[in-house]
Amino acid sequence: MENGTFTRQEIFSQPEAWAAALQVLDKTRRNILSLKPHRRYREIIFTGCGSTYYLSMAAAALTQDLTGIAVRAFPASELWLSPRSSYTDGKTLLVAVSRSGETTETLRACEAFLKDKRGTLLTLSCYGDMPLAKMGSLNIVLPSGQERSVAQTRAFSTLYLSIVALACLWARREELYASLSELPEAGTRLLNNYTSLAAELGGDASIDRFYWLGSGPRQGLACELSLKMKEMSLSHSEPFHFMEFRHGPKSMITPSALTLGLLSTVNGQKESAVLKDVKALGGRVLDIAEAGAQVRFESGLDEAVRNVLYLPVGQMIAFERSISKGLNPDRPTNLDTVVKL
Ligand code: F1P
């Protein structure tokens, strides 16, 4: 089988996976609403490991933005091993996210949370027969996110989109929740329109480092895309908040550096100014946005619900670079599908 067979199929089948996940959420919406986070909890905490920790970061920022509830994200290892510097003393809604549902740190963090009676556990995972899917007061299982390759792509975007739906429901934003059904078509357009650009950038051996800039609900997504580039292609890759890039990291800009900006609408001008600075230093730039960028969603959707669209093109660039280096993104070097301790 040729390198990347599974990863390619998983990247290109994301729109169908998203549609299937939204159907699962629709069937679960009464249970989701019955958690009543505004009334019952002092805060919400999202947790996971690796990709699903970065997913938790993105989910926390978006959920707080939409609901007004205090929301934080921690790696599961922090909740497990350093609970006193992680939890507050109030009742917590813990949302544990895991593709496999069997990552040891995530299971230990949830076991300790329940033993210490800190609040209520909600889980999101892709395999209903795995331990995590049996631990929560509510367990949301998304089989369409299941994957055979190690580096998460379809699993990540499907789990992330499911949390966007959760946040819309908790925020009582019915119109935003309803608009999620337009995302699969927007995702298919992106995958079709930018395949050649991704192949061109991924295959460009003159690029030797990647910087991914994203702020607010997009910072966790920038971290995830940077991890994809590392895992799949063994490249030097780092994420930063947009405005943070000027405070030191920009010293690394050379003509061999590609800086990818996940531009928002709300702060697009200030974020574009950072990319302009990068270009002035001789660095290469790729901007990704709803409109007016090299990669354009043109979804017509509200900013709060279209962040998942930043993922496909970044995933494809990492995939293409892996293939062009003769690597196999289905089996990244040194990595296992699940970390079991
Ligand atoms: C978490 C994870 C992945 C990473 C690798 C090892 O898995 O760290 O994020 O890409 O596959 O496992 P999970 O808890 O989401 O299954």
Tab-separated table of all heavy atoms in Angstrom, residues 251-288:
chain	number	residue	atom	x	y	z
A	251	SER	N	12.466	36.714	15.006
A	251	SER	CA	13.918	36.735	14.721
A	251	SER	C	14.310	35.525	13.855
A	251	SER	O	15.332	35.548	13.181
A	251	SER	CB	14.703	36.680	16.036
A	251	SER	OG	14.331	35.516	16.765
A	252	MET	N	13.453	34.517	13.850
A	252	MET	CA	13.763	33.278	13.123
A	252	MET	C	13.361	33.349	11.646
A	252	MET	O	13.533	32.404	10.902
A	252	MET	CB	12.999	32.102	13.771
A	252	MET	CG	13.477	31.752	15.170
A	252	MET	SD	15.166	31.147	15.126
A	252	MET	CE	14.892	29.557	14.347
A	253	ILE	N	12.776	34.469	11.217
A	253	ILE	CA	12.283	34.557	9.843
A	253	ILE	C	13.461	34.615	8.858
A	253	ILE	O	14.375	35.412	8.989
A	253	ILE	CB	11.369	35.792	9.659
A	253	ILE	CG1	10.067	35.578	10.432
A	253	ILE	CG2	11.056	36.041	8.180
A	253	ILE	CD1	9.280	34.337	9.977
A	254	THR	N	13.389	33.720	7.864
A	254	THR	CA	14.348	33.694	6.745
A	254	THR	C	13.529	33.423	5.488
A	254	THR	O	12.350	33.065	5.585
A	254	THR	CB	15.345	32.519	6.907
A	254	THR	OG1	14.558	31.302	6.772
A	254	THR	CG2	16.023	32.545	8.258
A	255	PRO	N	14.135	33.531	4.292
A	255	PRO	CA	13.388	33.191	3.063
A	255	PRO	C	12.935	31.723	3.042
A	255	PRO	O	12.040	31.367	2.292
A	255	PRO	CB	14.410	33.470	1.952
A	255	PRO	CG	15.327	34.495	2.538
A	255	PRO	CD	15.426	34.155	3.996
A	256	SER	N	13.541	30.898	3.911
A	256	SER	CA	13.160	29.468	3.924
A	256	SER	C	12.051	29.198	4.948
A	256	SER	O	11.678	28.046	5.170
A	256	SER	CB	14.383	28.622	4.285
A	256	SER	OG	14.829	28.990	5.593
A	257	ALA	N	11.523	30.270	5.557
A	257	ALA	CA	10.455	30.080	6.557
A	257	ALA	C	9.098	30.371	5.917
A	257	ALA	O	8.943	31.356	5.196
A	257	ALA	CB	10.678	31.018	7.734
A	258	LEU	N	8.119	29.525	6.194
A	258	LEU	CA	6.742	29.785	5.752
A	258	LEU	C	5.897	30.046	6.984
A	258	LEU	O	5.840	29.200	7.888
A	258	LEU	CB	6.163	28.591	4.979
A	258	LEU	CG	4.682	28.729	4.575
A	258	LEU	CD1	4.469	29.919	3.626
A	258	LEU	CD2	4.156	27.448	3.931
A	259	THR	N	5.280	31.215	7.038
A	259	THR	CA	4.408	31.583	8.166
A	259	THR	C	2.960	31.535	7.692
A	259	THR	O	2.601	32.206	6.715
A	259	THR	CB	4.751	32.994	8.686
A	259	THR	OG1	6.120	33.006	9.103
A	259	THR	CG2	3.862	33.373	9.862
A	260	LEU	N	2.147	30.698	8.363
A	260	LEU	CA	0.745	30.529	7.969
A	260	LEU	C	-0.147	31.208	8.994
A	260	LEU	O	-0.084	30.886	10.181
A	260	LEU	CB	0.418	29.033	7.877
A	260	LEU	CG	1.284	28.246	6.887
A	260	LEU	CD1	2.413	27.515	7.609
A	260	LEU	CD2	0.448	27.249	6.099
A	261	GLY	N	-0.940	32.151	8.536
A	261	GLY	CA	-1.781	32.930	9.449
A	261	GLY	C	-3.231	32.494	9.387
A	261	GLY	O	-3.844	32.508	8.318
A	262	LEU	N	-3.797	32.080	10.544
A	262	LEU	CA	-5.222	31.733	10.626
A	262	LEU	C	-5.956	33.035	10.975
A	262	LEU	O	-6.218	33.331	12.138
A	262	LEU	CB	-5.459	30.660	11.702
A	262	LEU	CG	-5.121	29.208	11.357
A	262	LEU	CD1	-3.670	29.022	10.965
A	262	LEU	CD2	-5.456	28.276	12.538
A	263	LEU	N	-6.225	33.833	9.934
A	263	LEU	CA	-6.737	35.190	10.139
A	263	LEU	C	-8.200	35.173	10.586
A	263	LEU	O	-9.030	34.470	9.988
A	263	LEU	CB	-6.649	35.978	8.832
A	263	LEU	CG	-5.260	36.412	8.346
A	263	LEU	CD1	-5.376	37.012	6.957
A	263	LEU	CD2	-4.621	37.396	9.288
A	264	SER	N	-8.498	35.962	11.599
A	264	SER	CA	-9.903	36.129	12.004
A	264	SER	C	-10.494	37.298	11.236
A	264	SER	O	-9.783	38.036	10.553
A	264	SER	CB	-9.950	36.443	13.511
A	264	SER	OG	-9.393	37.741	13.736
A	265	THR	N	-11.811	37.472	11.358
A	265	THR	CA	-12.433	38.681	10.805
A	265	THR	C	-12.349	39.796	11.844
A	265	THR	O	-11.949	40.912	11.557
A	265	THR	CB	-13.905	38.393	10.432
A	265	THR	OG1	-13.893	37.390	9.406
A	265	THR	CG2	-14.611	39.633	9.936
A	266	VAL	N	-12.641	39.431	13.089
A	266	VAL	CA	-12.736	40.444	14.149
A	266	VAL	C	-11.411	41.193	14.323
A	266	VAL	O	-11.401	42.402	14.550
A	266	VAL	CB	-13.214	39.803	15.481
A	266	VAL	CG1	-12.195	38.785	16.012
A	266	VAL	CG2	-13.510	40.865	16.524
A	267	ASN	N	-10.272	40.524	14.190
A	267	ASN	CA	-8.960	41.182	14.369
A	267	ASN	C	-8.112	41.084	13.112
A	267	ASN	O	-6.874	41.142	13.171
A	267	ASN	CB	-8.223	40.559	15.557
A	267	ASN	CG	-8.972	40.782	16.862
A	267	ASN	OD1	-9.442	41.894	17.128
A	267	ASN	ND2	-9.107	39.734	17.660
A	268	GLY	N	-8.751	40.914	11.958
A	268	GLY	CA	-8.024	40.635	10.712
A	268	GLY	C	-6.987	41.678	10.355
A	268	GLY	O	-5.883	41.345	9.906
A	269	GLN	N	-7.289	42.941	10.579
A	269	GLN	CA	-6.344	44.004	10.189
A	269	GLN	C	-5.051	43.891	10.999
A	269	GLN	O	-3.951	43.887	10.444
A	269	GLN	CB	-6.983	45.373	10.425
A	269	GLN	CG	-7.794	45.852	9.228
A	269	GLN	CD	-8.111	47.342	9.293
A	269	GLN	OE1	-8.385	47.863	10.373
A	269	GLN	NE2	-8.072	48.009	8.151
A	270	LYS	N	-5.193	43.780	12.313
A	270	LYS	CA	-4.006	43.694	13.168
A	270	LYS	C	-3.207	42.411	12.887
A	270	LYS	O	-1.979	42.404	12.901
A	270	LYS	CB	-4.412	43.753	14.643
A	270	LYS	CG	-4.899	45.133	15.085
A	270	LYS	CD	-5.058	45.226	16.583
A	270	LYS	CE	-5.443	46.642	17.052
A	270	LYS	NZ	-6.633	47.152	16.346
A	271	GLU	N	-3.932	41.343	12.595
A	271	GLU	CA	-3.253	40.063	12.309
A	271	GLU	C	-2.540	40.120	10.960
A	271	GLU	O	-1.399	39.675	10.820
A	271	GLU	CB	-4.273	38.927	12.362
A	271	GLU	CG	-4.823	38.685	13.765
A	271	GLU	CD	-6.038	37.765	13.805
A	271	GLU	OE1	-6.625	37.492	12.734
A	271	GLU	OE2	-6.393	37.310	14.912
A	272	SER	N	-3.187	40.768	9.986
A	272	SER	CA	-2.536	40.890	8.666
A	272	SER	C	-1.272	41.733	8.762
A	272	SER	O	-0.294	41.497	8.047
A	272	SER	CB	-3.498	41.534	7.664
A	272	SER	OG	-4.631	40.734	7.488
A	273	ALA	N	-1.272	42.710	9.672
A	273	ALA	CA	-0.091	43.577	9.837
A	273	ALA	C	1.115	42.744	10.293
A	273	ALA	O	2.256	43.006	9.887
A	273	ALA	CB	-0.392	44.685	10.841
A	274	VAL	N	0.858	41.714	11.094
A	274	VAL	CA	1.962	40.841	11.535
A	274	VAL	C	2.530	40.093	10.325
A	274	VAL	O	3.743	40.010	10.135
A	274	VAL	CB	1.492	39.839	12.611
A	274	VAL	CG1	2.612	38.870	12.995
A	274	VAL	CG2	0.991	40.575	13.850
A	275	LEU	N	1.644	39.607	9.471
A	275	LEU	CA	2.107	38.876	8.274
A	275	LEU	C	2.870	39.818	7.338
A	275	LEU	O	3.849	39.426	6.699
A	275	LEU	CB	0.925	38.239	7.551
A	275	LEU	CG	0.148	37.159	8.336
A	275	LEU	CD1	-0.983	36.596	7.488
A	275	LEU	CD2	1.064	36.043	8.828
A	276	LYS	N	2.455	41.075	7.310
A	276	LYS	CA	3.158	42.074	6.476
A	276	LYS	C	4.595	42.255	7.004
A	276	LYS	O	5.554	42.304	6.230
A	276	LYS	CB	2.391	43.405	6.565
A	276	LYS	CG	2.674	44.365	5.433
A	276	LYS	CD	1.485	45.359	5.231
A	276	LYS	CE	1.998	46.665	4.596
A	276	LYS	NZ	2.207	47.736	5.595
A	277	ASP	N	4.724	42.302	8.331
A	277	ASP	CA	6.063	42.412	8.938
A	277	ASP	C	6.930	41.205	8.543
A	277	ASP	O	8.112	41.329	8.256
A	277	ASP	CB	5.978	42.462	10.475
A	277	ASP	CG	5.373	43.764	10.981
A	277	ASP	OD1	5.052	44.630	10.132
A	277	ASP	OD2	5.185	43.897	12.210
A	278	VAL	N	6.308	40.033	8.526
A	278	VAL	CA	7.056	38.810	8.189
A	278	VAL	C	7.558	38.890	6.754
A	278	VAL	O	8.719	38.616	6.457
A	278	VAL	CB	6.152	37.557	8.371
A	278	VAL	CG1	6.807	36.314	7.771
A	278	VAL	CG2	5.846	37.343	9.848
A	279	LYS	N	6.692	39.370	5.864
A	279	LYS	CA	7.085	39.497	4.453
A	279	LYS	C	8.219	40.516	4.317
A	279	LYS	O	9.189	40.307	3.585
A	279	LYS	CB	5.882	39.966	3.619
A	279	LYS	CG	5.082	38.809	3.015
A	279	LYS	CD	4.108	39.309	1.973
A	279	LYS	CE	2.706	39.159	2.482
A	279	LYS	NZ	1.654	39.630	1.576
A	280	ALA	N	8.136	41.616	5.094
A	280	ALA	CA	9.172	42.664	5.018
A	280	ALA	C	10.534	42.114	5.453
A	280	ALA	O	11.589	42.592	5.016
A	280	ALA	CB	8.771	43.839	5.895
A	281	LEU	N	10.491	41.052	6.273
A	281	LEU	CA	11.756	40.436	6.723
A	281	LEU	C	12.235	39.374	5.739
A	281	LEU	O	13.199	38.653	5.984
A	281	LEU	CB	11.556	39.803	8.115
A	281	LEU	CG	11.347	40.786	9.278
A	281	LEU	CD1	10.930	40.037	10.539
A	281	LEU	CD2	12.630	41.582	9.526
A	282	GLY	N	11.476	39.219	4.632
A	282	GLY	CA	11.902	38.250	3.608
A	282	GLY	C	11.298	36.873	3.786
A	282	GLY	O	11.620	35.939	3.062
A	283	GLY	N	10.386	36.744	4.772
A	283	GLY	CA	9.754	35.436	4.994
A	283	GLY	C	8.600	35.210	4.019
A	283	GLY	O	8.055	36.163	3.468
A	284	ARG	N	8.239	33.943	3.816
A	284	ARG	CA	7.077	33.615	2.974
A	284	ARG	C	5.842	33.502	3.854
A	284	ARG	O	5.947	33.152	5.048
A	284	ARG	CB	7.333	32.294	2.248
A	284	ARG	CG	8.487	32.388	1.289
A	284	ARG	CD	8.818	31.065	0.666
A	284	ARG	NE	7.681	30.532	-0.108
A	284	ARG	CZ	7.783	29.412	-0.845
A	284	ARG	NH1	8.909	28.728	-0.870
A	284	ARG	NH2	6.752	28.982	-1.536
A	285	VAL	N	4.672	33.786	3.265
A	285	VAL	CA	3.434	33.863	4.054
A	285	VAL	C	2.304	33.149	3.310
A	285	VAL	O	2.246	33.187	2.082
A	285	VAL	CB	3.082	35.356	4.280
A	285	VAL	CG1	1.624	35.541	4.619
A	285	VAL	CG2	3.960	35.930	5.394
A	286	LEU	N	1.423	32.491	4.083
A	286	LEU	CA	0.162	31.995	3.534
A	286	LEU	C	-0.942	32.419	4.499
A	286	LEU	O	-0.866	32.088	5.695
A	286	LEU	CB	0.165	30.458	3.413
A	286	LEU	CG	-1.143	29.865	2.860
A	286	LEU	CD1	-1.248	30.121	1.350
A	286	LEU	CD2	-1.247	28.365	3.144
A	287	ASP	N	-1.907	33.189	4.009
A	287	ASP	CA	-2.993	33.562	4.922
A	287	ASP	C	-4.251	32.776	4.592
A	287	ASP	O	-4.547	32.474	3.430
A	287	ASP	CB	-3.256	35.076	4.932
A	287	ASP	CG	-3.474	35.650	3.545
A	287	ASP	OD1	-3.465	34.865	2.574
A	287	ASP	OD2	-3.669	36.864	3.435
A	288	ILE	N	-4.980	32.397	5.637
A	288	ILE	CA	-6.193	31.572	5.549
A	288	ILE	C	-7.307	32.337	6.260
A	288	ILE	O	-7.135	32.757	7.416
A	288	ILE	CB	-5.991	30.200	6.245
A	288	ILE	CG1	-4.736	29.502	5.707
A	288	ILE	CG2	-7.220	29.308	6.080
A	288	ILE	CD1	-4.366	28.204	6.442
